[in-house]
Amino acid sequence: MARAFLKHMKKYQYIPSGVCSRLMEIGIDDDGRIASLEVTGGCHGNLQGIGALLRGMKATEAIERLRGIRCGAKATSCPDQIAAALTQITQQ
């Protein structure tokens, strides 16, 4: 019988700035991969889609892909704020 190994996940909370979303909760597993992403506020459907696409991705890769994305005339966006949160998490 094969043994299943459970990965541990640590959850982080991040308060974004300059966007409609108010709170980001990100779960990172032992391998540095995104296990979960929940965003309060913002464009719910779009952020659920982003969360689904990021699940299983290395946090460092997500940072590279999302950093610098802007929302209209704003200097940032929800994806850019996710990158900021992941940057803060990976530097801990």
Side-chain angles (χ1 to χ4, degrees), residues 13-37:
Q13 289 189 336
Y14 180 80
I15 298 173
S17 62
V19 294
C20 300
S21 57
R22 298 181 307 277
L23 178 68
M24 297 178 174
E25 294 180 285
I26 303 171
I28 303 290
D29 70 17
D30 293 336
D31 295 329
R33 294 185 182 279
I34 299 166
S36 65
L37 171 66

PDB file of all heavy atoms in Angstrom, residues 13-37:
ATOM      1  N   GLN A  13      -2.144  36.515   5.633  1.00  0.00           N
ATOM      2  CA  GLN A  13      -3.122  37.551   5.305  1.00  0.00           C
ATOM      3  C   GLN A  13      -2.372  38.797   4.854  1.00  0.00           C
ATOM      4  O   GLN A  13      -1.322  39.134   5.396  1.00  0.00           O
ATOM      5  CB  GLN A  13      -3.988  37.891   6.513  1.00  0.00           C
ATOM      6  CG  GLN A  13      -4.959  36.792   6.874  1.00  0.00           C
ATOM      7  CD  GLN A  13      -5.941  37.242   7.936  1.00  0.00           C
ATOM      8  OE1 GLN A  13      -5.679  38.151   8.717  1.00  0.00           O
ATOM      9  NE2 GLN A  13      -7.089  36.589   7.969  1.00  0.00           N
ATOM     10  N   TYR A  14      -2.934  39.443   3.849  1.00  0.00           N
ATOM     11  CA  TYR A  14      -2.316  40.649   3.293  1.00  0.00           C
ATOM     12  C   TYR A  14      -3.421  41.649   3.031  1.00  0.00           C
ATOM     13  O   TYR A  14      -4.458  41.297   2.457  1.00  0.00           O
ATOM     14  CB  TYR A  14      -1.582  40.300   1.993  1.00  0.00           C
ATOM     15  CG  TYR A  14      -0.899  41.463   1.323  1.00  0.00           C
ATOM     16  CD1 TYR A  14       0.335  41.918   1.761  1.00  0.00           C
ATOM     17  CD2 TYR A  14      -1.496  42.114   0.243  1.00  0.00           C
ATOM     18  CE1 TYR A  14       0.971  42.985   1.136  1.00  0.00           C
ATOM     19  CE2 TYR A  14      -0.867  43.179  -0.391  1.00  0.00           C
ATOM     20  CZ  TYR A  14       0.364  43.606   0.067  1.00  0.00           C
ATOM     21  OH  TYR A  14       0.988  44.660  -0.543  1.00  0.00           O
ATOM     22  N   ILE A  15      -3.209  42.895   3.438  1.00  0.00           N
ATOM     23  CA  ILE A  15      -4.174  43.962   3.171  1.00  0.00           C
ATOM     24  C   ILE A  15      -3.645  44.770   1.984  1.00  0.00           C
ATOM     25  O   ILE A  15      -2.630  45.456   2.099  1.00  0.00           O
ATOM     26  CB  ILE A  15      -4.381  44.860   4.403  1.00  0.00           C
ATOM     27  CG1 ILE A  15      -4.949  44.016   5.551  1.00  0.00           C
ATOM     28  CG2 ILE A  15      -5.293  46.033   4.063  1.00  0.00           C
ATOM     29  CD1 ILE A  15      -5.049  44.731   6.871  1.00  0.00           C
ATOM     30  N   PRO A  16      -4.304  44.638   0.825  1.00  0.00           N
ATOM     31  CA  PRO A  16      -3.837  45.345  -0.371  1.00  0.00           C
ATOM     32  C   PRO A  16      -4.138  46.844  -0.296  1.00  0.00           C
ATOM     33  O   PRO A  16      -4.989  47.276   0.484  1.00  0.00           O
ATOM     34  CB  PRO A  16      -4.633  44.686  -1.494  1.00  0.00           C
ATOM     35  CG  PRO A  16      -5.856  44.157  -0.845  1.00  0.00           C
ATOM     36  CD  PRO A  16      -5.477  43.812   0.564  1.00  0.00           C
ATOM     37  N   SER A  17      -3.418  47.608  -1.091  1.00  0.00           N
ATOM     38  CA  SER A  17      -3.684  49.045  -1.140  1.00  0.00           C
ATOM     39  C   SER A  17      -3.821  49.482  -2.592  1.00  0.00           C
ATOM     40  O   SER A  17      -3.208  48.905  -3.493  1.00  0.00           O
ATOM     41  CB  SER A  17      -2.557  49.826  -0.452  1.00  0.00           C
ATOM     42  OG  SER A  17      -1.335  49.616  -1.119  1.00  0.00           O
ATOM     43  N   GLY A  18      -4.660  50.488  -2.798  1.00  0.00           N
ATOM     44  CA  GLY A  18      -4.838  51.062  -4.127  1.00  0.00           C
ATOM     45  C   GLY A  18      -5.759  50.271  -5.036  1.00  0.00           C
ATOM     46  O   GLY A  18      -5.820  50.544  -6.233  1.00  0.00           O
ATOM     47  N   VAL A  19      -6.476  49.272  -4.490  1.00  0.00           N
ATOM     48  CA  VAL A  19      -7.384  48.439  -5.290  1.00  0.00           C
ATOM     49  C   VAL A  19      -8.707  48.270  -4.544  1.00  0.00           C
ATOM     50  O   VAL A  19      -8.839  48.646  -3.388  1.00  0.00           O
ATOM     51  CB  VAL A  19      -6.763  47.053  -5.586  1.00  0.00           C
ATOM     52  CG1 VAL A  19      -5.537  47.193  -6.480  1.00  0.00           C
ATOM     53  CG2 VAL A  19      -6.418  46.303  -4.312  1.00  0.00           C
ATOM     54  N   CYS A  20      -9.677  47.660  -5.207  1.00  0.00           N
ATOM     55  CA  CYS A  20     -10.999  47.450  -4.614  1.00  0.00           C
ATOM     56  C   CYS A  20     -10.994  46.341  -3.560  1.00  0.00           C
ATOM     57  O   CYS A  20     -11.795  46.376  -2.628  1.00  0.00           O
ATOM     58  CB  CYS A  20     -12.013  47.093  -5.699  1.00  0.00           C
ATOM     59  SG  CYS A  20     -12.198  48.363  -6.965  1.00  0.00           S
ATOM     60  N   SER A  21     -10.149  45.344  -3.729  1.00  0.00           N
ATOM     61  CA  SER A  21     -10.135  44.239  -2.764  1.00  0.00           C
ATOM     62  C   SER A  21      -9.615  44.745  -1.412  1.00  0.00           C
ATOM     63  O   SER A  21      -8.816  45.681  -1.338  1.00  0.00           O
ATOM     64  CB  SER A  21      -9.294  43.070  -3.285  1.00  0.00           C
ATOM     65  OG  SER A  21      -7.989  43.478  -3.569  1.00  0.00           O
ATOM     66  N   ARG A  22     -10.111  44.097  -0.341  1.00  0.00           N
ATOM     67  CA  ARG A  22      -9.796  44.555   1.010  1.00  0.00           C
ATOM     68  C   ARG A  22      -8.903  43.598   1.787  1.00  0.00           C
ATOM     69  O   ARG A  22      -8.252  44.005   2.745  1.00  0.00           O
ATOM     70  CB  ARG A  22     -11.098  44.779   1.776  1.00  0.00           C
ATOM     71  CG  ARG A  22     -11.982  45.854   1.155  1.00  0.00           C
ATOM     72  CD  ARG A  22     -13.267  46.083   1.932  1.00  0.00           C
ATOM     73  NE  ARG A  22     -14.045  44.889   2.194  1.00  0.00           N
ATOM     74  CZ  ARG A  22     -14.898  44.311   1.351  1.00  0.00           C
ATOM     75  NH1 ARG A  22     -15.065  44.817   0.155  1.00  0.00           N
ATOM     76  NH2 ARG A  22     -15.596  43.243   1.694  1.00  0.00           N
ATOM     77  N   LEU A  23      -8.887  42.325   1.406  1.00  0.00           N
ATOM     78  CA  LEU A  23      -8.098  41.346   2.144  1.00  0.00           C
ATOM     79  C   LEU A  23      -7.746  40.187   1.214  1.00  0.00           C
ATOM     80  O   LEU A  23      -8.594  39.725   0.446  1.00  0.00           O
ATOM     81  CB  LEU A  23      -8.882  40.809   3.352  1.00  0.00           C
ATOM     82  CG  LEU A  23      -8.190  39.737   4.188  1.00  0.00           C
ATOM     83  CD1 LEU A  23      -6.981  40.311   4.914  1.00  0.00           C
ATOM     84  CD2 LEU A  23      -9.165  39.123   5.185  1.00  0.00           C
ATOM     85  N   MET A  24      -6.507  39.723   1.316  1.00  0.00           N
ATOM     86  CA  MET A  24      -6.061  38.560   0.560  1.00  0.00           C
ATOM     87  C   MET A  24      -5.542  37.529   1.545  1.00  0.00           C
ATOM     88  O   MET A  24      -4.725  37.858   2.405  1.00  0.00           O
ATOM     89  CB  MET A  24      -4.963  38.949  -0.435  1.00  0.00           C
ATOM     90  CG  MET A  24      -5.429  39.912  -1.477  1.00  0.00           C
ATOM     91  SD  MET A  24      -4.110  40.405  -2.605  1.00  0.00           S
ATOM     92  CE  MET A  24      -5.062  41.371  -3.772  1.00  0.00           C
ATOM     93  N   GLU A  25      -6.046  36.303   1.434  1.00  0.00           N
ATOM     94  CA  GLU A  25      -5.572  35.207   2.262  1.00  0.00           C
ATOM     95  C   GLU A  25      -4.932  34.179   1.335  1.00  0.00           C
ATOM     96  O   GLU A  25      -5.590  33.672   0.419  1.00  0.00           O
ATOM     97  CB  GLU A  25      -6.717  34.591   3.053  1.00  0.00           C
ATOM     98  CG  GLU A  25      -7.282  35.568   4.068  1.00  0.00           C
ATOM     99  CD  GLU A  25      -8.424  34.984   4.869  1.00  0.00           C
ATOM    100  OE1 GLU A  25      -9.522  34.879   4.289  1.00  0.00           O
ATOM    101  OE2 GLU A  25      -8.194  34.633   6.029  1.00  0.00           O
ATOM    102  N   ILE A  26      -3.660  33.928   1.565  1.00  0.00           N
ATOM    103  CA  ILE A  26      -2.885  33.075   0.666  1.00  0.00           C
ATOM    104  C   ILE A  26      -2.300  31.921   1.456  1.00  0.00           C
ATOM    105  O   ILE A  26      -1.677  32.124   2.506  1.00  0.00           O
ATOM    106  CB  ILE A  26      -1.757  33.879  -0.009  1.00  0.00           C
ATOM    107  CG1 ILE A  26      -2.337  35.081  -0.764  1.00  0.00           C
ATOM    108  CG2 ILE A  26      -0.932  32.988  -0.932  1.00  0.00           C
ATOM    109  CD1 ILE A  26      -1.319  36.059  -1.285  1.00  0.00           C
ATOM    110  N   GLY A  27      -2.501  30.711   0.948  1.00  0.00           N
ATOM    111  CA  GLY A  27      -1.907  29.517   1.548  1.00  0.00           C
ATOM    112  C   GLY A  27      -0.725  29.071   0.713  1.00  0.00           C
ATOM    113  O   GLY A  27      -0.834  28.936  -0.504  1.00  0.00           O
ATOM    114  N   ILE A  28       0.419  28.861   1.369  1.00  0.00           N
ATOM    115  CA  ILE A  28       1.638  28.411   0.697  1.00  0.00           C
ATOM    116  C   ILE A  28       2.042  27.073   1.309  1.00  0.00           C
ATOM    117  O   ILE A  28       2.111  26.940   2.527  1.00  0.00           O
ATOM    118  CB  ILE A  28       2.785  29.434   0.880  1.00  0.00           C
ATOM    119  CG1 ILE A  28       2.386  30.818   0.380  1.00  0.00           C
ATOM    120  CG2 ILE A  28       4.071  28.938   0.207  1.00  0.00           C
ATOM    121  CD1 ILE A  28       2.239  30.933  -1.111  1.00  0.00           C
ATOM    122  N   ASP A  29       2.333  26.069   0.446  1.00  0.00           N
ATOM    123  CA  ASP A  29       2.719  24.757   0.963  1.00  0.00           C
ATOM    124  C   ASP A  29       4.229  24.683   1.213  1.00  0.00           C
ATOM    125  O   ASP A  29       4.959  25.654   0.968  1.00  0.00           O
ATOM    126  CB  ASP A  29       2.225  23.620   0.055  1.00  0.00           C
ATOM    127  CG  ASP A  29       2.939  23.523  -1.279  1.00  0.00           C
ATOM    128  OD1 ASP A  29       4.043  24.110  -1.441  1.00  0.00           O
ATOM    129  OD2 ASP A  29       2.402  22.852  -2.181  1.00  0.00           O
ATOM    130  N   ASP A  30       4.680  23.542   1.689  1.00  0.00           N
ATOM    131  CA  ASP A  30       6.088  23.348   2.040  1.00  0.00           C
ATOM    132  C   ASP A  30       7.030  23.517   0.856  1.00  0.00           C
ATOM    133  O   ASP A  30       8.218  23.787   1.034  1.00  0.00           O
ATOM    134  CB  ASP A  30       6.304  21.955   2.625  1.00  0.00           C
ATOM    135  CG  ASP A  30       5.620  21.770   3.964  1.00  0.00           C
ATOM    136  OD1 ASP A  30       5.380  22.777   4.656  1.00  0.00           O
ATOM    137  OD2 ASP A  30       5.320  20.611   4.323  1.00  0.00           O
ATOM    138  N   ASP A  31       6.537  23.335  -0.352  1.00  0.00           N
ATOM    139  CA  ASP A  31       7.367  23.452  -1.550  1.00  0.00           C
ATOM    140  C   ASP A  31       7.375  24.865  -2.128  1.00  0.00           C
ATOM    141  O   ASP A  31       7.917  25.093  -3.206  1.00  0.00           O
ATOM    142  CB  ASP A  31       6.865  22.477  -2.633  1.00  0.00           C
ATOM    143  CG  ASP A  31       7.025  21.034  -2.235  1.00  0.00           C
ATOM    144  OD1 ASP A  31       7.983  20.709  -1.491  1.00  0.00           O
ATOM    145  OD2 ASP A  31       6.204  20.203  -2.667  1.00  0.00           O
ATOM    146  N   GLY A  32       6.738  25.818  -1.439  1.00  0.00           N
ATOM    147  CA  GLY A  32       6.690  27.193  -1.931  1.00  0.00           C
ATOM    148  C   GLY A  32       5.673  27.400  -3.032  1.00  0.00           C
ATOM    149  O   GLY A  32       5.743  28.352  -3.802  1.00  0.00           O
ATOM    150  N   ARG A  33       4.699  26.485  -3.099  1.00  0.00           N
ATOM    151  CA  ARG A  33       3.639  26.589  -4.106  1.00  0.00           C
ATOM    152  C   ARG A  33       2.371  27.172  -3.482  1.00  0.00           C
ATOM    153  O   ARG A  33       2.091  26.967  -2.307  1.00  0.00           O
ATOM    154  CB  ARG A  33       3.337  25.224  -4.709  1.00  0.00           C
ATOM    155  CG  ARG A  33       4.502  24.675  -5.501  1.00  0.00           C
ATOM    156  CD  ARG A  33       4.147  23.367  -6.198  1.00  0.00           C
ATOM    157  NE  ARG A  33       5.289  22.835  -6.903  1.00  0.00           N
ATOM    158  CZ  ARG A  33       5.701  23.242  -8.110  1.00  0.00           C
ATOM    159  NH1 ARG A  33       5.034  24.180  -8.736  1.00  0.00           N
ATOM    160  NH2 ARG A  33       6.761  22.709  -8.678  1.00  0.00           N
ATOM    161  N   ILE A  34       1.603  27.864  -4.297  1.00  0.00           N
ATOM    162  CA  ILE A  34       0.356  28.458  -3.830  1.00  0.00           C
ATOM    163  C   ILE A  34      -0.675  27.347  -3.699  1.00  0.00           C
ATOM    164  O   ILE A  34      -0.984  26.657  -4.665  1.00  0.00           O
ATOM    165  CB  ILE A  34      -0.120  29.548  -4.807  1.00  0.00           C
ATOM    166  CG1 ILE A  34       0.939  30.643  -4.892  1.00  0.00           C
ATOM    167  CG2 ILE A  34      -1.481  30.096  -4.392  1.00  0.00           C
ATOM    168  CD1 ILE A  34       0.762  31.597  -6.052  1.00  0.00           C
ATOM    169  N   ALA A  35      -1.182  27.172  -2.489  1.00  0.00           N
ATOM    170  CA  ALA A  35      -2.178  26.135  -2.223  1.00  0.00           C
ATOM    171  C   ALA A  35      -3.586  26.714  -2.259  1.00  0.00           C
ATOM    172  O   ALA A  35      -4.541  26.018  -2.601  1.00  0.00           O
ATOM    173  CB  ALA A  35      -1.903  25.484  -0.870  1.00  0.00           C
ATOM    174  N   SER A  36      -3.708  27.990  -1.912  1.00  0.00           N
ATOM    175  CA  SER A  36      -5.029  28.621  -1.918  1.00  0.00           C
ATOM    176  C   SER A  36      -4.875  30.130  -2.020  1.00  0.00           C
ATOM    177  O   SER A  36      -3.852  30.689  -1.635  1.00  0.00           O
ATOM    178  CB  SER A  36      -5.813  28.258  -0.652  1.00  0.00           C
ATOM    179  OG  SER A  36      -5.175  28.798   0.493  1.00  0.00           O
ATOM    180  N   LEU A  37      -5.909  30.759  -2.564  1.00  0.00           N
ATOM    181  CA  LEU A  37      -5.973  32.218  -2.643  1.00  0.00           C
ATOM    182  C   LEU A  37      -7.432  32.615  -2.504  1.00  0.00           C
ATOM    183  O   LEU A  37      -8.269  32.196  -3.298  1.00  0.00           O
ATOM    184  CB  LEU A  37      -5.425  32.744  -3.975  1.00  0.00           C
ATOM    185  CG  LEU A  37      -5.642  34.243  -4.243  1.00  0.00           C
ATOM    186  CD1 LEU A  37      -4.868  35.103  -3.259  1.00  0.00           C
ATOM    187  CD2 LEU A  37      -5.269  34.594  -5.665  1.00  0.00           C
TER     188      LEU A  37
END
